[in-house]
Amino acid sequence: MVATPAWPPASLPRLYVDRELAEGLALTLDGPQAHYLSAVMRLGAGDRVKLFDDISGEWLAEINEAGKKKLSVTVAERLRPREPVPDLWLLFAPIKRGRIDWLIEKATEMGVARLVPVITQRTIVDRLNRERLFAHAVEAAEQCERTALPELAEAQKLAALLRAWPETRSLYFADEEGGERLTASPGPAAILIGPEGGFTDEERSAIRALPQSRRVSLGPRILRADTAALAAISLWMATAGDW
Ligand code: SAH
C-alpha cells in the first residue's frame, strides 16, 4: 500500500506575522523572515509556508516571488483557529540575560497567557529589552506549533501591581521560606516569583496582605528564579490548567 503523504507536511516553515491574516491576503515578508525562507530554507515561488497571527489562527500561504530581502506571499487557507490558552499570568522579577530568555521561551511553550516583569526592591536588572524578549516568545511559538503568543506586559513595580490587583485572580506567591503545596483552584490565576535575592520582609507582608494571595512552597530546596517559575507553572497546569 502506498502511504498517502500528509498535506501540508508537518515540516513546513512556520512564521508569526504581526498583522491579521485572511484568505486571499497578499503580503510581503522581509528582514530576517525573508532571509530565513529564501537563504536558509531555500524556498522559492510556488513553495508553501505556514503563517500565524495570534488573532485568527494558522494559515497556509504560497510564495509568489522570492528575493533575498523580500518575499511576496498569498494567504491560501486557514489550517487552525487560534488555540485557547489557560488564564495564567507569570509575574517574574527580571533576571539576567540568558536566564530571562530561557524563562520567556519555556513559559511560552508551557502555555502562559501573560508575562509580567515585576520590579521589586532587590531586582538587579532594571532595563529590559522587550523586543528581544518578545522575539524569544515568538521563536518558541513558531517552533512548537503554537497559534497563540503570550502577552508581554510592560515592567511594573510590585507595589503598584498589588494595589490594582484584579479581585477574582488568585495570586500564587512562591515563597522559599515555606507555604502550602501549590494545588490550584479553577479560575484566573497568576504566579509570582521573586528575584535572585528574594523578596524583602516588607514586600513579603504586602503580598500576604492581599486577600487573593496564597503563599506556596516549591519544596525544601531553594531554586533559582527561572527553575522556580517553571516548577510553579507545571504544578498549576497539572491541577487547574489544560494539561
Ligand atoms: N531568597 C533566596 C532565594 C531567592 S530564589 C536567596 O537570596 O538565597 C528566587 C525566587 O524563586 C524566590 O523569591 C521564590 O519566589 C522562588 N523560589 C525559589 N525556591 C523556592 C521554593 N523552594 N519554594 C517556593 N519558591 C521558591
Side-chain angles (χ1 to χ4, degrees):
M1 213 173 85
V2 182
T4 315
W7 185 259
S11 57
L12 281 187
R14 281 186 94 240
L15 293 174
Y16 163 70
V17 287
D18 186 16
R19 59 175 291 185
E20 187 164 356
L21 298 170
E23 197 179 315
L25 183 81
L27 68 153
T28 304
L29 302 177
D30 52 18
Q33 293 192 322
H35 175 81
Y36 171 70
L37 295 177
S38 315
V40 182
M41 302 303 292
R42 301 186 175 276
L43 301 184
D47 287 328
R48 293 168 183 224
V49 293
K50 289 178 184 175
L51 303 177
F52 67 101
D53 58 2
D54 192 31
I55 304 167
S56 65
E58 181 185 65
W59 297 77
L60 192 62
E62 188 172 313
I63 299 174
N64 310 318
E65 223 183 303
K68 278 205 177 104
K69 298 223 161 99
K70 271 188 182 150
L71 261 104
S72 65
V73 303
T74 303
V75 178
E77 62 177 290
R78 186 151 81 146
L79 301 171
R80 292 186 292 155
R82 184 182 190 272
E83 71 201 76
V85 180
D87 193 359
L88 176 67
W89 298 356
L90 174 67
L91 277 57
F92 61 99
I95 44 180
K96 67 177 186 214
R97 191 177 171 160
R99 291 198 167 273
I100 195 169
D101 298 346
W102 187 89
L103 177 57
I104 300 287
E105 181 182 300
K106 301 304 164 208
T108 303
E109 290 172 39
M110 306 271 284
V112 167
R114 188 161 187 257
L115 298 162
V116 188
V118 181
I119 312 299
T120 67
Q121 288 170 4
R122 294 196 186 129
T123 302
I124 299 163
V125 183
D126 58 2
R127 263 195 307 133
L128 274 185
N129 184 338
R130 283 184 76 239
E131 223 167 274
R132 200 192 78 231
L133 295 186
F134 188 66
H136 283 285
V138 167
E139 203 174 303
E142 286 176 342
Q143 275 184 16
C144 297
E145 300 289 324
R146 302 290 308 283
T147 53
L149 288 172
E151 181 197 335
L152 180 58
E154 292 282 352
Q156 290 168 61
K157 288 207 170 124
L158 179 64
L161 259 170
L162 296 178
R163 267 199 303 276
W165 194 253
E167 208 176 310
T168 57
R169 186 172 294 275
S170 311
L171 179 66
Y172 297 94
F173 153 48
D175 191 354
E176 69 278 14
E177 288 180 11
E180 53 184 297
R181 179 192 287 259
L182 202 168
T183 46
S185 32
I191 289 166
L192 172 62
I193 304 288
E196 276 132 344
F199 291 105
T200 62
D201 288 345
E202 193 190 327
E203 287 173 333
R204 191 174 264 109
S205 33
I207 300 163
R208 292 183 70 174
L210 190 78
Q212 299 91 319
S213 86
R214 277 164 65 177
R215 197 160 75 105
V216 294
S217 165
L218 301 169
R221 288 161 291 274
I222 291 189
L223 308 171
R224 281 176 130 152
D226 45 347
T227 319
L230 263 285
I233 296 168
S234 308
L235 291 169
W236 186 88
M237 284 286 177
T239 48
D242 60 357
W243 283 15

Short mmCIF file of all heavy atoms in Angstrom, two decimals, residues 174-176 192-199 216-219 221-225 228, ligand 1:
data_model
loop_
_atom_site.label_atom_id
_atom_site.label_comp_id
_atom_site.label_asym_id
_atom_site.label_seq_id
_atom_site.Cartn_x
_atom_site.Cartn_y
_atom_site.Cartn_z
N ALA A 174 5.25 32.34 45.26
CA ALA A 174 6.23 31.29 45.55
C ALA A 174 7.21 31.81 46.60
O ALA A 174 7.93 32.78 46.36
CB ALA A 174 6.97 30.89 44.29
N ASP A 175 7.17 31.19 47.77
CA ASP A 175 8.00 31.65 48.88
C ASP A 175 8.93 30.53 49.34
O ASP A 175 8.48 29.48 49.81
CB ASP A 175 7.08 32.08 50.04
CG ASP A 175 7.86 32.81 51.11
OD1 ASP A 175 9.10 32.88 51.03
OD2 ASP A 175 7.21 33.31 52.06
N GLU A 176 10.23 30.80 49.20
CA GLU A 176 11.20 29.77 49.56
C GLU A 176 11.24 29.56 51.07
O GLU A 176 11.83 28.59 51.55
CB GLU A 176 12.59 30.11 49.00
CG GLU A 176 13.30 31.30 49.62
CD GLU A 176 12.84 32.64 49.05
OE1 GLU A 176 11.80 32.69 48.36
OE2 GLU A 176 13.53 33.65 49.32
N LEU A 192 3.70 34.38 41.17
CA LEU A 192 4.67 35.44 41.43
C LEU A 192 5.99 34.82 41.91
O LEU A 192 6.01 34.10 42.93
CB LEU A 192 4.11 36.40 42.48
CG LEU A 192 5.07 37.46 43.02
CD1 LEU A 192 5.56 38.41 41.92
CD2 LEU A 192 4.39 38.28 44.14
N ILE A 193 7.03 35.10 41.17
CA ILE A 193 8.37 34.57 41.50
C ILE A 193 9.29 35.75 41.81
O ILE A 193 9.30 36.74 41.06
CB ILE A 193 8.95 33.77 40.30
CG1 ILE A 193 8.01 32.64 39.88
CG2 ILE A 193 10.36 33.25 40.62
CD1 ILE A 193 7.91 31.47 40.81
N GLY A 194 10.06 35.63 42.85
CA GLY A 194 10.93 36.73 43.26
C GLY A 194 12.25 36.79 42.51
O GLY A 194 12.57 35.91 41.73
N PRO A 195 13.01 37.83 42.78
CA PRO A 195 14.33 37.97 42.14
C PRO A 195 15.35 37.04 42.80
O PRO A 195 15.04 36.39 43.81
CB PRO A 195 14.68 39.43 42.42
CG PRO A 195 13.99 39.73 43.70
CD PRO A 195 12.73 38.90 43.74
N GLU A 196 16.55 37.02 42.25
CA GLU A 196 17.59 36.14 42.79
C GLU A 196 17.84 36.39 44.28
O GLU A 196 18.13 35.47 45.03
CB GLU A 196 18.89 36.29 42.00
CG GLU A 196 18.88 35.43 40.75
CD GLU A 196 19.31 36.15 39.48
OE1 GLU A 196 19.32 37.40 39.48
OE2 GLU A 196 19.60 35.46 38.49
N GLY A 197 17.70 37.64 44.69
CA GLY A 197 17.93 37.96 46.10
C GLY A 197 16.70 37.75 46.98
O GLY A 197 16.73 38.04 48.18
N GLY A 198 15.60 37.29 46.41
CA GLY A 198 14.36 37.07 47.16
C GLY A 198 13.61 38.37 47.42
O GLY A 198 14.04 39.46 47.03
N PHE A 199 12.45 38.26 48.09
CA PHE A 199 11.65 39.43 48.45
C PHE A 199 12.13 39.97 49.78
O PHE A 199 12.64 39.23 50.62
CB PHE A 199 10.18 39.04 48.58
CG PHE A 199 9.52 38.69 47.28
CD1 PHE A 199 9.24 37.37 46.96
CD2 PHE A 199 9.16 39.67 46.37
CE1 PHE A 199 8.63 37.04 45.76
CE2 PHE A 199 8.55 39.36 45.17
CZ PHE A 199 8.29 38.03 44.85
N VAL A 216 2.88 29.78 48.43
CA VAL A 216 3.11 28.38 48.08
C VAL A 216 4.59 28.02 48.14
O VAL A 216 5.46 28.85 47.88
CB VAL A 216 2.55 28.04 46.68
CG1 VAL A 216 1.03 28.13 46.68
CG2 VAL A 216 3.14 28.91 45.59
N SER A 217 4.83 26.76 48.49
CA SER A 217 6.19 26.25 48.56
C SER A 217 6.43 25.36 47.34
O SER A 217 5.53 24.69 46.86
CB SER A 217 6.36 25.43 49.84
OG SER A 217 7.54 24.65 49.73
N LEU A 218 7.64 25.38 46.88
CA LEU A 218 8.03 24.52 45.76
C LEU A 218 9.04 23.48 46.26
O LEU A 218 9.93 23.06 45.53
CB LEU A 218 8.61 25.36 44.62
CG LEU A 218 7.66 26.42 44.05
CD1 LEU A 218 8.41 27.37 43.13
CD2 LEU A 218 6.50 25.77 43.31
N GLY A 219 8.89 23.13 47.51
CA GLY A 219 9.78 22.12 48.07
C GLY A 219 10.83 22.70 48.98
O GLY A 219 10.98 23.92 49.07
N ARG A 221 14.06 22.72 48.82
CA ARG A 221 15.30 23.23 48.22
C ARG A 221 15.09 24.59 47.58
O ARG A 221 14.07 24.81 46.92
CB ARG A 221 15.82 22.25 47.17
CG ARG A 221 16.38 20.97 47.77
CD ARG A 221 16.45 19.87 46.75
NE ARG A 221 15.12 19.41 46.37
CZ ARG A 221 14.44 18.49 47.03
NH1 ARG A 221 14.93 17.91 48.08
NH2 ARG A 221 13.22 18.13 46.64
N ILE A 222 16.02 25.47 47.75
CA ILE A 222 15.92 26.78 47.10
C ILE A 222 16.24 26.61 45.62
O ILE A 222 17.25 26.00 45.26
CB ILE A 222 16.86 27.81 47.75
CG1 ILE A 222 16.34 28.12 49.16
CG2 ILE A 222 16.96 29.08 46.91
CD1 ILE A 222 17.02 29.26 49.85
N LEU A 223 15.37 27.12 44.81
CA LEU A 223 15.54 27.02 43.36
C LEU A 223 15.92 28.38 42.81
O LEU A 223 15.58 29.41 43.39
CB LEU A 223 14.22 26.56 42.71
CG LEU A 223 13.59 25.30 43.30
CD1 LEU A 223 12.20 25.09 42.71
CD2 LEU A 223 14.46 24.09 43.04
N ARG A 224 16.59 28.39 41.68
CA ARG A 224 16.81 29.66 41.01
C ARG A 224 15.48 30.14 40.49
O ARG A 224 14.56 29.34 40.24
CB ARG A 224 17.77 29.44 39.85
CG ARG A 224 19.20 29.36 40.31
CD ARG A 224 20.06 29.05 39.15
NE ARG A 224 21.17 29.97 39.09
CZ ARG A 224 22.35 29.67 38.56
NH1 ARG A 224 22.56 28.49 38.02
NH2 ARG A 224 23.31 30.55 38.54
N ALA A 225 15.38 31.46 40.32
CA ALA A 225 14.10 32.06 39.93
C ALA A 225 13.52 31.41 38.67
O ALA A 225 12.31 31.15 38.60
CB ALA A 225 14.28 33.56 39.73
N ALA A 228 12.25 27.96 39.55
CA ALA A 228 11.05 28.09 40.39
C ALA A 228 9.84 28.42 39.53
O ALA A 228 8.75 27.87 39.72
CB ALA A 228 11.28 29.17 41.46
N1 SAH B 1 15.99 34.46 48.99
C1 SAH B 1 16.83 33.50 48.40
C2 SAH B 1 16.46 32.85 47.07
C3 SAH B 1 15.60 33.51 46.10
S1 SAH B 1 15.19 32.38 44.89
C4 SAH B 1 18.26 33.91 48.36
O1 SAH B 1 18.59 35.07 48.15
O2 SAH B 1 19.05 32.99 48.54
C5 SAH B 1 14.23 33.33 43.78
C6 SAH B 1 12.75 33.12 43.87
O3 SAH B 1 12.40 31.80 43.49
C7 SAH B 1 12.14 33.30 45.23
O4 SAH B 1 11.85 34.65 45.51
C8 SAH B 1 10.86 32.46 45.15
O5 SAH B 1 9.81 33.20 44.54
C9 SAH B 1 11.27 31.35 44.24
N2 SAH B 1 11.68 30.12 44.94
C10 SAH B 1 12.89 29.53 44.93
N3 SAH B 1 12.89 28.38 45.63
C11 SAH B 1 11.64 28.22 46.10
C12 SAH B 1 10.99 27.21 46.89
N4 SAH B 1 11.61 26.14 47.34
N5 SAH B 1 9.66 27.39 47.18
C13 SAH B 1 9.00 28.49 46.74
N6 SAH B 1 9.56 29.45 45.99
C14 SAH B 1 10.86 29.33 45.67
#
